[in-house]
Coordinates of all heavy atoms in Angstrom, one line a residue:
M245 N -6.1 -1.1 -5.8 CA -5.1 -1.7 -6.9 C -6.1 -2.7 -7.7 O -6.9 -3.3 -7.2 CB -4.1 -2.5 -6.2 CG -3.0 -2.8 -7.2 SD -1.4 -3.3 -6.4 CE -1.8 -4.6 -5.3
L246 N -6.0 -2.5 -9.1 CA -6.7 -3.3 -10.0 C -6.3 -4.9 -10.0 O -5.2 -5.2 -9.5 CB -6.5 -2.9 -11.4 CG -7.1 -1.6 -11.7 CD1 -6.7 -1.2 -13.1 CD2 -8.7 -1.5 -11.6
K247 N -7.3 -5.6 -10.3 CA -6.9 -7.2 -10.5 C -6.3 -7.2 -11.8 O -6.9 -6.8 -12.9 CB -8.2 -8.0 -10.5 CG -8.1 -9.3 -11.1 CD -7.7 -10.3 -9.9 CE -7.7 -11.7 -10.3 NZ -6.4 -12.2 -10.9
L248 N -5.0 -7.7 -11.9 CA -4.2 -7.6 -13.2 C -4.5 -9.0 -13.8 O -4.5 -10.1 -13.4 CB -2.8 -7.6 -12.9 CG -2.4 -6.3 -12.1 CD1 -0.9 -6.2 -11.9 CD2 -2.9 -5.0 -12.8
K249 N -4.9 -8.8 -15.2 CA -5.2 -10.1 -16.0 C -4.1 -10.5 -16.9 O -4.3 -11.3 -17.8 CB -6.5 -9.7 -16.7 CG -7.7 -9.6 -15.8 CD -9.0 -9.6 -16.4 CE -10.1 -9.4 -15.5 NZ -11.4 -9.5 -16.1
I250 N -2.9 -9.8 -16.8 CA -1.7 -10.2 -17.6 C -0.6 -10.4 -16.7 O -0.7 -10.1 -15.6 CB -1.4 -8.9 -18.6 CG1 -1.1 -7.7 -17.8 CG2 -2.4 -8.8 -19.6 CD1 -0.6 -6.6 -18.6
K251 N 0.3 -11.2 -17.2 CA 1.5 -11.6 -16.3 C 2.7 -11.7 -17.1 O 2.6 -11.7 -18.4 CB 1.3 -12.9 -15.5 CG 0.8 -14.1 -16.3 CD 0.5 -15.2 -15.3 CE 0.1 -16.4 -16.2 NZ -0.4 -17.5 -15.3
S252 N 3.9 -11.8 -16.6 CA 5.2 -11.8 -17.3 C 5.1 -13.0 -18.3 O 4.7 -14.2 -17.9 CB 6.3 -12.1 -16.3 OG 6.5 -11.0 -15.5
G253 N 5.7 -12.8 -19.4 CA 5.7 -13.8 -20.5 C 4.6 -13.8 -21.4 O 4.6 -14.5 -22.4
D254 N 3.4 -13.0 -21.1 CA 2.4 -13.0 -22.0 C 2.7 -12.1 -23.2 O 3.4 -11.1 -23.1 CB 1.2 -12.2 -21.3 CG 0.5 -13.2 -20.4 OD1 0.7 -14.5 -20.4 OD2 -0.4 -12.7 -19.6
K255 N 2.2 -12.5 -24.4 CA 2.3 -11.7 -25.6 C 1.2 -10.7 -25.7 O 0.0 -11.0 -25.5 CB 2.3 -12.5 -27.0 CG 2.7 -11.8 -28.1 CD 3.0 -12.7 -29.2 CE 2.9 -11.9 -30.5 NZ 4.0 -11.4 -31.1
V256 N 1.5 -9.4 -25.8 CA 0.4 -8.3 -25.7 C 0.6 -7.4 -26.8 O 1.6 -7.3 -27.6 CB 0.5 -7.5 -24.4 CG1 0.2 -8.3 -23.2 CG2 1.9 -6.8 -24.1
K257 N -0.5 -6.7 -27.1 CA -0.5 -5.7 -28.1 C -0.9 -4.3 -27.5 O -1.7 -4.3 -26.6 CB -1.6 -6.0 -29.2 CG -1.7 -5.2 -30.4 CD -2.7 -5.7 -31.4 CE -2.5 -5.1 -32.8 NZ -3.4 -5.7 -33.7
V258 N -0.3 -3.3 -27.9 CA -0.6 -1.9 -27.4 C -1.8 -1.4 -28.2 O -1.8 -1.4 -29.4 CB 0.7 -1.0 -27.6 CG1 0.2 0.4 -27.1 CG2 1.9 -1.5 -26.9
I259 N -2.9 -1.0 -27.5 CA -4.1 -0.6 -28.0 C -4.4 0.8 -27.9 O -5.4 1.4 -28.6 CB -5.4 -1.3 -27.4 CG1 -5.4 -1.2 -25.9 CG2 -5.2 -2.8 -27.8 CD1 -6.6 -1.8 -25.2
A260 N -3.5 1.6 -27.2 CA -3.7 3.0 -27.2 C -2.4 3.8 -27.0 O -1.5 3.1 -26.4 CB -4.7 3.4 -26.0
G261 N -2.4 5.0 -27.3 CA -1.0 5.7 -27.0 C -0.2 5.9 -28.1 O -0.5 5.4 -29.3
D262 N 1.1 6.4 -28.0 CA 2.0 6.6 -29.0 C 2.5 5.3 -29.7 O 2.9 5.3 -30.8 CB 3.3 7.3 -28.4 CG 3.0 8.7 -27.9 OD1 2.0 9.3 -28.3 OD2 3.8 9.2 -27.2
H263 N 2.5 4.2 -29.0 CA 3.1 2.9 -29.5 C 1.9 2.0 -30.0 O 2.1 0.8 -30.1 CB 4.0 2.3 -28.6 CG 5.1 3.2 -28.2 ND1 6.2 3.4 -28.9 CD2 5.2 4.0 -27.0 CE1 6.9 4.3 -28.3 NE2 6.3 4.6 -27.2
K264 N 0.7 2.6 -30.3 CA -0.5 1.7 -30.6 C -0.1 0.9 -31.9 O 0.4 1.3 -32.9 CB -1.6 2.7 -31.0 CG -2.9 2.1 -31.3 CD -3.9 3.0 -31.6 CE -5.3 2.4 -32.0 NZ -6.4 3.2 -32.2
G265 N -0.5 -0.4 -31.6 CA -0.3 -1.4 -32.8 C 0.9 -2.2 -32.6 O 0.9 -3.3 -33.2
S266 N 1.9 -1.9 -31.8 CA 3.1 -2.7 -31.6 C 2.8 -3.8 -30.6 O 2.0 -3.7 -29.7 CB 4.2 -1.8 -31.2 OG 3.9 -1.0 -30.0
E267 N 3.6 -4.9 -30.9 CA 3.4 -6.1 -30.0 C 4.7 -6.4 -29.3 O 5.8 -6.1 -29.9 CB 2.9 -7.2 -30.8 CG 1.6 -7.1 -31.4 CD 1.0 -8.4 -32.2 OE1 1.6 -9.5 -32.0 OE2 0.0 -8.3 -32.8
G268 N 4.6 -7.1 -28.3 CA 5.8 -7.6 -27.5 C 5.4 -8.5 -26.4 O 4.3 -8.7 -26.1
V269 N 6.5 -9.0 -25.7 CA 6.3 -9.9 -24.6 C 6.6 -9.1 -23.3 O 7.5 -8.3 -23.3 CB 7.3 -11.1 -24.7 CG1 7.2 -12.0 -23.5 CG2 7.1 -11.8 -26.0
I270 N 5.7 -9.4 -22.4 CA 5.9 -8.7 -21.1 C 7.1 -9.2 -20.4 O 7.3 -10.4 -20.2 CB 4.6 -8.8 -20.2 CG1 3.5 -8.2 -20.8 CG2 4.9 -8.3 -18.8 CD1 2.2 -8.1 -20.0
L271 N 8.0 -8.3 -20.0 CA 9.3 -8.6 -19.3 C 9.0 -8.6 -17.7 O 9.4 -9.5 -17.0 CB 10.4 -7.6 -19.6 CG 10.8 -7.6 -21.0 CD1 11.8 -6.4 -21.3 CD2 11.3 -8.9 -21.5
S272 N 8.3 -7.6 -17.3 CA 7.9 -7.6 -15.9 C 6.7 -6.7 -15.6 O 6.3 -5.9 -16.5 CB 9.1 -7.0 -15.1 OG 9.3 -5.7 -15.4
V273 N 6.0 -7.0 -14.6 CA 4.7 -6.3 -14.1 C 5.0 -5.4 -12.9 O 5.5 -6.1 -12.0 CB 3.6 -7.2 -14.1 CG1 2.3 -6.4 -13.6 CG2 3.3 -7.9 -15.3
L274 N 4.7 -4.2 -12.9 CA 4.9 -3.4 -11.6 C 3.4 -3.2 -11.1 O 2.7 -2.3 -11.5 CB 5.5 -2.0 -12.1 CG 6.7 -2.0 -12.9 CD1 7.1 -0.7 -13.5 CD2 7.8 -2.6 -12.1
R275 N 3.1 -4.1 -10.2 CA 1.8 -4.1 -9.6 C 1.3 -2.9 -8.9 O 0.1 -2.5 -9.1 CB 1.6 -5.4 -8.7 CG 1.6 -6.7 -9.4 CD 1.4 -7.8 -8.4 NE 0.1 -7.7 -7.7 CZ -1.0 -8.2 -8.2 NH1 -1.0 -8.9 -9.2 NH2 -2.1 -8.0 -7.5
E276 N 2.2 -2.3 -8.2 CA 1.9 -1.2 -7.3 C 1.4 0.1 -8.2 O 0.8 1.0 -7.8 CB 2.8 -0.9 -6.3 CG 4.2 -0.5 -6.8 CD 5.1 -1.7 -7.2 OE1 4.8 -2.8 -6.9 OE2 6.1 -1.4 -7.9
K277 N 2.0 0.1 -9.5 CA 1.8 1.2 -10.3 C 0.9 0.9 -11.5 O 0.6 1.8 -12.2 CB 3.1 1.7 -11.0 CG 4.1 2.3 -9.9 CD 5.4 2.8 -10.6 CE 6.3 3.4 -9.7 NZ 7.7 3.7 -10.2
N278 N 0.4 -0.4 -11.6 CA -0.5 -0.8 -12.6 C 0.2 -0.6 -13.9 O -0.4 -0.1 -15.0 CB -1.8 -0.2 -12.6 CG -2.8 -0.6 -11.4 OD1 -2.7 -1.8 -11.1 ND2 -3.5 0.1 -10.9
K279 N 1.5 -0.9 -14.0 CA 2.3 -0.8 -15.4 C 3.0 -2.0 -15.6 O 3.1 -2.9 -14.7 CB 3.2 0.4 -15.2 CG 2.6 1.8 -15.1 CD 3.5 2.9 -15.0 CE 2.7 4.2 -15.2 NZ 3.4 5.2 -15.7
A280 N 3.4 -2.2 -16.9 CA 4.2 -3.3 -17.3 C 5.3 -2.8 -18.2 O 5.1 -1.8 -18.9 CB 3.2 -4.3 -18.0
I281 N 6.5 -3.5 -18.3 CA 7.5 -3.3 -19.2 C 7.3 -4.3 -20.3 O 7.4 -5.6 -20.1 CB 8.9 -3.3 -18.4 CG1 8.9 -2.3 -17.4 CG2 10.0 -3.2 -19.5 CD1 10.2 -2.3 -16.5
V282 N 7.2 -3.9 -21.5 CA 6.9 -4.7 -22.7 C 8.2 -4.6 -23.5 O 8.8 -3.5 -23.8 CB 5.7 -4.2 -23.5 CG1 5.5 -5.2 -24.7 CG2 4.5 -4.3 -22.6
E283 N 8.7 -5.7 -24.0 CA 9.9 -5.8 -24.7 C 9.8 -5.1 -26.1 O 8.9 -5.4 -27.0 CB 10.2 -7.3 -25.0 CG 11.5 -7.7 -25.8 CD 11.7 -9.2 -25.9 OE1 10.8 -9.9 -25.9 OE2 12.9 -9.6 -26.1
G284 N 10.7 -4.1 -26.4 CA 10.8 -3.4 -27.6 C 9.7 -2.3 -27.8 O 9.6 -1.7 -28.8
V285 N 9.0 -2.0 -26.7 CA 7.8 -1.1 -26.8 C 8.2 0.1 -25.8 O 8.7 -0.1 -24.7 CB 6.4 -1.6 -26.5 CG1 5.4 -0.7 -26.4 CG2 6.1 -2.7 -27.5
N286 N 7.9 1.3 -26.2 CA 8.1 2.5 -25.4 C 9.6 2.7 -25.0 O 10.0 2.8 -23.8 CB 7.2 2.4 -24.1 CG 7.0 3.7 -23.4 OD1 7.2 4.9 -23.9 ND2 6.5 3.7 -22.2
M287 N 10.5 2.7 -25.9 CA 11.8 2.8 -25.8 C 12.3 4.3 -25.4 O 11.7 5.2 -25.9 CB 12.7 2.4 -27.0 CG 12.5 0.9 -27.3 SD 13.0 -0.3 -26.1 CE 14.8 -0.2 -26.4
V288 N 13.1 4.4 -24.4 CA 13.5 5.8 -24.0 C 15.1 5.7 -23.9 O 15.7 4.7 -23.8 CB 13.0 6.2 -22.6 CG1 11.5 6.4 -22.6 CG2 13.4 5.2 -21.6
S289 N 15.7 7.0 -24.1 CA 17.1 7.1 -24.1 C 17.6 7.5 -22.7 O 17.0 8.4 -22.1 CB 17.6 8.2 -25.0 OG 17.3 7.9 -26.3
K290 N 18.3 6.6 -22.0 CA 18.9 7.1 -20.7 C 20.4 7.4 -20.8 O 21.1 6.6 -21.3 CB 18.6 5.8 -19.8 CG 19.0 6.0 -18.4 CD 18.4 4.9 -17.5 CE 19.0 4.8 -16.1 NZ 19.2 6.0 -15.4
H291 N 20.7 8.5 -20.3 CA 22.1 9.0 -20.2 C 22.7 8.3 -19.0 O 22.2 8.6 -17.9 CB 22.2 10.6 -20.2 CG 21.7 11.1 -21.4 ND1 22.4 11.6 -22.4 CD2 20.3 11.3 -21.9 CE1 21.6 12.0 -23.4 NE2 20.4 11.9 -23.1
T292 N 23.9 7.7 -19.2 CA 24.5 7.0 -18.1 C 26.0 7.6 -17.8 O 26.7 7.8 -18.8 CB 24.6 5.6 -18.1 OG1 25.2 5.3 -19.4 CG2 23.3 5.0 -18.1
K293 N 26.4 7.8 -16.6 CA 27.7 8.2 -16.2 C 28.7 7.0 -16.4 O 28.3 5.8 -16.1 CB 27.7 8.7 -14.8 CG 27.3 10.2 -14.7 CD 27.4 10.5 -13.2 CE 28.0 11.8 -13.0 NZ 28.0 12.3 -11.6
P294 N 29.9 7.2 -16.7 CA 30.8 6.0 -16.7 C 31.0 5.4 -15.2 O 31.0 6.2 -14.3 CB 32.2 6.7 -17.1 CG 31.8 7.9 -17.8 CD 30.5 8.3 -17.2
S295 N 30.9 4.1 -15.1 CA 31.1 3.4 -13.9 C 31.9 2.2 -14.0 O 32.4 1.9 -15.2 CB 29.7 3.1 -13.3 OG 29.0 2.2 -14.2
A296 N 32.0 1.5 -12.9 CA 32.8 0.2 -13.0 C 32.2 -0.7 -13.9 O 32.8 -1.5 -14.7 CB 33.1 -0.4 -11.7
K297 N 30.8 -0.8 -13.9 CA 29.9 -1.7 -14.5 C 30.0 -1.3 -16.0 O 29.9 -2.1 -17.0 CB 28.6 -1.8 -13.9 CG 27.7 -2.9 -14.6 CD 26.4 -2.9 -13.7 CE 25.6 -4.2 -14.0 NZ 24.4 -4.1 -13.3
N298 N 29.9 0.0 -16.3 CA 29.9 0.5 -17.7 C 30.9 1.6 -17.9 O 30.6 2.8 -17.6 CB 28.4 1.1 -18.0 CG 28.2 1.5 -19.3 OD1 29.1 1.4 -20.2 ND2 27.2 2.1 -19.6
P299 N 32.1 1.2 -18.2 CA 33.2 2.2 -18.1 C 33.1 3.3 -19.3 O 33.7 4.3 -19.1 CB 34.5 1.4 -18.3 CG 34.0 0.1 -18.8 CD 32.6 -0.2 -18.4
Q300 N 32.4 3.0 -20.3 CA 32.2 3.9 -21.4 C 31.3 5.0 -21.0 O 31.3 6.1 -21.5 CB 31.8 3.2 -22.7 CG 31.7 4.0 -23.9 CD 33.1 4.5 -24.3 OE1 34.1 3.8 -24.2 NE2 33.1 5.7 -24.8
G301 N 30.1 4.7 -20.4 CA 29.1 5.6 -20.1 C 28.3 5.8 -21.5 O 28.2 4.9 -22.3
G302 N 27.6 6.9 -21.6 CA 26.9 7.2 -22.8 C 25.3 7.1 -22.8 O 24.8 7.2 -21.7
I303 N 24.8 6.8 -23.9 CA 23.3 6.8 -23.9 C 22.9 5.3 -24.2 O 23.3 4.7 -25.1 CB 22.8 7.7 -25.1 CG1 23.3 9.2 -24.8 CG2 21.3 7.7 -25.3 CD1 23.0 10.1 -26.1
I304 N 22.0 4.9 -23.4 CA 21.4 3.5 -23.4 C 19.9 3.6 -23.8 O 19.2 4.5 -23.3 CB 21.6 2.8 -22.2 CG1 23.1 2.7 -21.6 CG2 21.0 1.4 -22.2 CD1 23.2 2.2 -20.3
K305 N 19.6 2.8 -24.8 CA 18.1 2.7 -25.1 C 17.5 1.5 -24.1 O 18.1 0.5 -24.0 CB 17.9 2.2 -26.5 CG 18.2 3.3 -27.5 CD 17.0 4.2 -27.7 CE 17.0 4.9 -28.9 NZ 16.0 6.0 -29.0
K306 N 16.4 1.9 -23.4 CA 15.8 0.8 -22.6 C 14.3 1.0 -22.6 O 13.8 2.1 -22.9 CB 16.3 0.8 -21.1 CG 16.1 2.1 -20.4 CD 16.7 2.1 -18.9 CE 15.7 1.4 -18.0 NZ 16.2 1.4 -16.7
E307 N 13.6 0.0 -22.2 CA 12.1 0.1 -22.3 C 11.6 0.8 -21.0 O 12.1 0.6 -19.9 CB 11.4 -1.4 -22.2 CG 11.7 -2.1 -23.4 CD 12.8 -3.0 -23.4 OE1 13.5 -3.0 -22.4 OE2 13.0 -3.8 -24.3
A308 N 10.5 1.7 -21.2 CA 10.0 2.3 -20.0 C 8.6 1.7 -19.8 O 8.0 1.0 -20.6 CB 9.8 3.8 -20.3
P309 N 8.0 1.7 -18.5 CA 6.9 1.1 -18.2 C 5.6 1.7 -18.9 O 5.6 2.9 -19.4 CB 6.6 1.4 -16.8 CG 7.9 1.7 -16.2 CD 8.7 2.4 -17.3
I310 N 4.6 1.0 -19.3 CA 3.5 1.3 -20.0 C 2.3 0.9 -19.2 O 2.2 -0.2 -18.6 CB 3.5 0.8 -21.5 CG1 2.4 1.3 -22.4 CG2 3.4 -0.7 -21.5 CD1 2.4 1.1 -23.7
H311 N 1.2 1.8 -19.2 CA 0.0 1.5 -18.3 C -0.7 0.2 -18.8 O -0.9 0.1 -20.0 CB -0.9 2.7 -18.2 CG -1.7 2.6 -17.1 ND1 -3.0 2.0 -17.1 CD2 -1.6 3.1 -15.7 CE1 -3.6 2.0 -15.9 NE2 -2.8 2.7 -15.0
I312 N -1.2 -0.6 -17.9 CA -1.8 -1.9 -18.2 C -3.0 -1.6 -19.0 O -3.5 -2.5 -19.8 CB -2.0 -2.7 -17.0 CG1 -0.7 -3.3 -16.7 CG2 -3.1 -3.7 -17.1 CD1 -0.6 -4.0 -15.3
S313 N -3.8 -0.5 -18.9 CA -5.1 -0.3 -19.5 C -4.8 0.0 -21.0 O -5.7 -0.1 -21.8 CB -5.7 1.0 -18.9 OG -5.0 2.2 -19.3
N314 N -3.6 0.2 -21.5 CA -3.2 0.4 -22.8 C -2.8 -1.0 -23.4 O -2.3 -0.9 -24.7 CB -2.1 1.4 -23.0 CG -2.5 2.8 -22.5 OD1 -3.8 3.1 -22.5 ND2 -1.6 3.6 -22.2
L315 N -2.8 -2.1 -22.7 CA -2.4 -3.3 -23.3 C -3.5 -4.2 -23.5 O -4.4 -4.2 -22.6 CB -1.3 -3.9 -22.4 CG 0.0 -3.0 -22.1 CD1 0.8 -3.8 -21.1 CD2 0.8 -2.9 -23.4
S316 N -3.4 -5.1 -24.4 CA -4.4 -6.2 -24.6 C -3.7 -7.4 -24.9 O -2.8 -7.5 -25.6 CB -5.4 -5.8 -25.8 OG -6.3 -6.8 -25.9
L317 N -4.2 -8.5 -24.3 CA -3.5 -9.9 -24.5 C -3.8 -10.3 -26.0 O -4.7 -10.0 -26.5 CB -4.1 -10.8 -23.5 CG -3.2 -12.0 -23.1 CD1 -2.2 -11.5 -22.3 CD2 -4.0 -13.1 -22.4
V318 N -2.9 -11.1 -26.5 CA -2.9 -11.5 -28.0 C -3.1 -13.0 -27.8 O -2.4 -13.7 -27.2 CB -1.7 -11.2 -28.8 CG1 -1.6 -11.6 -30.1 CG2 -1.5 -9.6 -28.8
T319 N -4.0 -13.6 -28.7 CA -4.3 -15.0 -28.7 C -3.1 -15.6 -29.7 O -2.4 -14.9 -30.3 CB -5.6 -15.3 -29.2 OG1 -5.7 -14.7 -30.6 CG2 -6.7 -14.8 -28.5
K320 N -3.2 -17.0 -29.8 CA -2.2 -17.7 -30.7 C -2.6 -17.3 -32.1 O -1.7 -17.3 -32.9 CB -2.4 -19.2 -30.5 CG -1.9 -19.6 -29.1 CD -2.1 -21.1 -28.9 CE -1.7 -21.6 -27.5 NZ -2.5 -21.1 -26.5
G321 N -3.8 -17.0 -32.4 CA -4.1 -16.5 -33.9 C -3.6 -15.1 -34.2 O -3.7 -14.6 -35.3
G322 N -3.2 -14.3 -33.1 CA -2.6 -13.0 -33.3 C -3.7 -11.9 -33.2 O -3.3 -10.7 -33.5
E323 N -4.8 -12.1 -32.6 CA -5.8 -11.0 -32.4 C -5.9 -10.7 -31.0 O -5.7 -11.5 -30.1 CB -7.1 -11.4 -32.9 CG -7.7 -12.7 -32.4 CD -9.0 -13.1 -33.0 OE1 -9.5 -12.4 -33.8 OE2 -9.5 -14.2 -32.7
A324 N -6.2 -9.3 -30.8 CA -6.3 -8.8 -29.3 C -7.5 -9.3 -28.7 O -8.6 -9.4 -29.5 CB -6.3 -7.3 -29.3
T325 N -7.5 -9.7 -27.4 CA -8.8 -10.3 -26.8 C -8.7 -9.8 -25.3 O -7.8 -9.4 -24.8 CB -8.7 -11.8 -26.8 OG1 -9.9 -12.2 -26.3 CG2 -7.6 -12.3 -26.1
R326 N -10.0 -9.8 -24.8 CA -10.2 -9.6 -23.4 C -9.9 -11.0 -22.6 O -10.1 -12.0 -23.2 CB -11.6 -9.0 -23.0 CG -11.7 -7.7 -23.7 CD -12.9 -6.9 -23.0 NE -14.1 -7.6 -22.9 CZ -15.0 -7.8 -23.8 NH1 -14.8 -7.4 -25.1 NH2 -16.1 -8.4 -23.5
V327 N -9.7 -10.9 -21.4 CA -9.4 -12.1 -20.6 C -10.5 -12.4 -19.6 O -11.0 -11.5 -18.9 CB -8.1 -11.9 -19.8 CG1 -7.7 -13.2 -19.0 CG2 -7.0 -11.6 -20.8
G328 N -10.9 -13.6 -19.5 CA -11.9 -14.1 -18.6 C -11.3 -15.2 -17.7 O -10.3 -15.7 -18.1
Y329 N -12.0 -15.6 -16.7 CA -11.6 -16.7 -15.8 C -12.8 -17.6 -15.6 O -14.0 -17.3 -15.7 CB -11.2 -16.1 -14.5 CG -9.9 -15.3 -14.4 CD1 -10.0 -13.9 -14.4 CD2 -8.7 -16.0 -14.3 CE1 -8.8 -13.2 -14.4 CE2 -7.6 -15.2 -14.1 CZ -7.6 -13.9 -14.3 OH -6.4 -13.1 -14.2
R330 N -12.4 -18.9 -15.6 CA -13.4 -20.0 -15.4 C -12.7 -21.1 -14.6 O -11.4 -21.3 -14.7 CB -14.1 -20.4 -16.6 CG -13.3 -21.1 -17.7 CD -14.1 -21.5 -18.8 NE -13.2 -22.0 -19.9 CZ -13.2 -21.9 -21.2 NH1 -14.1 -21.0 -21.6 NH2 -12.3 -22.4 -22.0
V331 N -13.5 -21.9 -14.0 CA -12.9 -23.2 -13.3 C -13.2 -24.4 -14.1 O -14.3 -24.7 -14.5 CB -13.6 -23.3 -11.9 CG1 -13.1 -24.5 -11.2 CG2 -13.4 -22.1 -11.1
E332 N -12.2 -25.0 -14.5 CA -12.3 -26.3 -15.3 C -11.7 -27.5 -14.4 O -10.5 -27.4 -14.1 CB -11.4 -26.1 -16.6 CG -12.1 -25.2 -17.5 CD -11.6 -25.4 -19.0 OE1 -10.6 -26.2 -19.1 OE2 -12.1 -24.8 -19.9
G333 N -12.5 -28.4 -13.9 CA -12.1 -29.3 -13.0 C -11.9 -28.7 -11.7 O -12.9 -28.2 -11.0
D334 N -10.7 -28.7 -11.3 CA -10.3 -28.1 -9.9 C -9.4 -26.9 -10.1 O -8.8 -26.5 -9.2 CB -9.9 -29.1 -9.0 CG -8.5 -29.8 -9.5 OD1 -8.4 -29.8 -10.6 OD2 -7.9 -30.5 -8.7
K335 N -9.2 -26.5 -11.4 CA -8.2 -25.5 -11.7 C -8.9 -24.2 -12.3 O -9.9 -24.3 -13.0 CB -7.2 -25.9 -12.6 CG -6.1 -26.8 -12.2 CD -4.9 -26.7 -13.2 CE -3.7 -27.3 -12.4 NZ -2.5 -27.5 -13.2
K336 N -8.4 -23.0 -11.8 CA -8.9 -21.9 -12.3 C -8.0 -21.4 -13.5 O -6.8 -21.4 -13.3 CB -8.8 -20.8 -11.2 CG -9.4 -19.4 -11.7 CD -9.3 -18.4 -10.5 CE -9.7 -17.1 -10.9 NZ -9.6 -16.1 -9.8
V337 N -8.6 -21.2 -14.6 CA -7.8 -20.9 -15.9 C -8.2 -19.6 -16.5 O -9.4 -19.1 -16.4 CB -8.0 -22.1 -17.0 CG1 -7.4 -23.4 -16.4 CG2 -9.4 -22.3 -17.4
R338 N -7.3 -19.0 -17.2 CA -7.7 -17.7 -18.0 C -8.1 -18.2 -19.4 O -7.5 -19.1 -20.0 CB -6.4 -16.9 -18.1 CG -6.0 -16.3 -16.9 CD -4.8 -15.4 -17.0 NE -3.7 -15.9 -17.8 CZ -2.7 -15.1 -18.3 NH1 -2.8 -13.8 -18.3 NH2 -1.7 -15.8 -19.0
Y339 N -9.0 -17.5 -20.1 CA -9.5 -17.8 -21.4 C -9.7 -16.6 -22.1 O -10.0 -15.5 -21.6 CB -10.6 -18.8 -21.3 CG -12.0 -18.1 -21.0 CD1 -12.9 -17.7 -21.9 CD2 -12.2 -17.9 -19.7 CE1 -14.1 -17.1 -21.6 CE2 -13.5 -17.3 -19.2 CZ -14.4 -16.9 -20.3 OH -15.5 -16.2 -20.0
S340 N -9.6 -16.7 -23.4 CA -9.8 -15.6 -24.4 C -11.3 -15.4 -24.5 O -12.0 -16.4 -24.8 CB -9.2 -15.9 -25.7 OG -9.7 -15.0 -26.8
K341 N -11.7 -14.2 -24.3 CA -13.3 -14.0 -24.5 C -13.7 -13.9 -25.9 O -14.8 -14.2 -26.4 CB -13.7 -12.7 -23.8 CG -13.5 -12.7 -22.4 CD -14.6 -11.9 -21.7 CE -14.6 -12.0 -20.2 NZ -15.6 -11.2 -19.5
K342 N -12.7 -13.7 -26.9 CA -13.0 -13.7 -28.4 C -13.1 -15.1 -28.9 O -14.1 -15.4 -29.6 CB -12.0 -12.8 -29.0 CG -12.4 -12.2 -30.3 CD -11.4 -11.3 -30.9 CE -11.8 -9.9 -30.8 NZ -10.9 -8.9 -31.4
S343 N -12.1 -16.0 -28.6 CA -12.0 -17.3 -29.3 C -12.3 -18.3 -28.3 O -12.4 -19.5 -28.7 CB -10.7 -17.4 -29.9 OG -9.7 -17.5 -28.8
N344 N -12.5 -18.0 -27.0 CA -12.9 -19.1 -26.0 C -11.8 -20.1 -25.8 O -12.0 -21.1 -25.1 CB -14.2 -19.8 -26.4 CG -15.0 -20.0 -25.1 OD1 -14.8 -19.4 -24.1 ND2 -16.0 -21.0 -25.2
E345 N -10.6 -19.8 -26.2 CA -9.4 -20.8 -25.9 C -8.7 -20.4 -24.6 O -8.7 -19.3 -24.2 CB -8.4 -20.7 -27.1 CG -7.7 -19.4 -27.2 CD -6.6 -19.4 -28.3 OE1 -7.2 -19.2 -29.6 OE2 -5.4 -19.4 -28.1
I346 N -8.2 -21.5 -24.1 CA -7.5 -21.3 -22.8 C -6.1 -20.7 -23.1 O -5.4 -21.1 -24.0 CB -7.3 -22.6 -22.1 CG1 -8.7 -23.1 -21.6 CG2 -6.3 -22.5 -20.9 CD1 -8.7 -24.5 -21.1
L347 N -5.8 -19.6 -22.3 CA -4.4 -19.0 -22.4 C -3.4 -19.5 -21.5 O -3.6 -20.0 -20.5 CB -4.6 -17.5 -22.2 CG -5.6 -16.8 -23.0 CD1 -6.0 -15.4 -22.5 CD2 -5.2 -16.6 -24.4

């Protein structure tokens, strides 16, 4: 399993695949599959049967997982960057390799 450099709540940009160029916030990370669910990216149509929770049934649009290798973290300036780690004082922090700012 890879060391994941992104986590829930990070703003990311898709750098490869069908949704290349789109941005969104990570809703959840699936560590065992090395995938993440990004808000508004990789939408799929799911057909649902009527149930007590959803009496109407029908077609629902929802996000599907996207592989982490296709995502890149976005800095406050809006550019995609790689992530590095360093120790500042007694804390380990993530920083942008492009702009050297702490994430």
Side-chain angles (χ1 to χ4, degrees):
M245 197 159 58
L246 292 170
K247 168 85 172 96
L248 304 182
K249 298 187 176 191
I250 58 174
K251 55 187 179 181
S252 296
D254 285 346
K255 187 167 167 90
V256 293
K257 184 175 197 172
V258 180
I259 55 172
D262 293 342
H263 304 281
K264 182 177 180 175
S266 52
E267 293 185 11
V269 177
I270 294 183
L271 300 174
S272 66
V273 177
L274 309 168
R275 288 185 60 87
E276 60 284 344
K277 293 182 180 172
N278 288 325
K279 292 186 176 202
I281 296 175
V282 183
E283 186 178 23
V285 177
N286 199 18
M287 299 296 282
V288 292
S289 299
K290 183 169 170 37
H291 296 259
T292 55
K293 279 179 140 177
S295 64
K297 196 174 188 181
N298 184 8
Q300 186 64 40
I303 301 171
I304 303 174
K305 288 273 197 190
K306 66 181 270 184
E307 292 96 352
I310 187 166
H311 201 272
I312 283 171
S313 65
N314 297 335
L315 301 174
S316 179
L317 210 69
V318 174
T319 60
K320 290 176 184 74
E323 56 184 356
T325 182
R326 296 198 316 276
V327 180
Y329 291 94
R330 64 178 176 224
V331 177
E332 290 196 354
D334 57 346
K335 279 199 164 175
K336 183 179 177 182
V337 294
R338 296 185 307 162
Y339 73 97
S340 160
K341 293 214 173 178
K342 203 173 249 186
S343 63
N344 217 18
E345 70 180 73
I346 293 174
L347 301 168

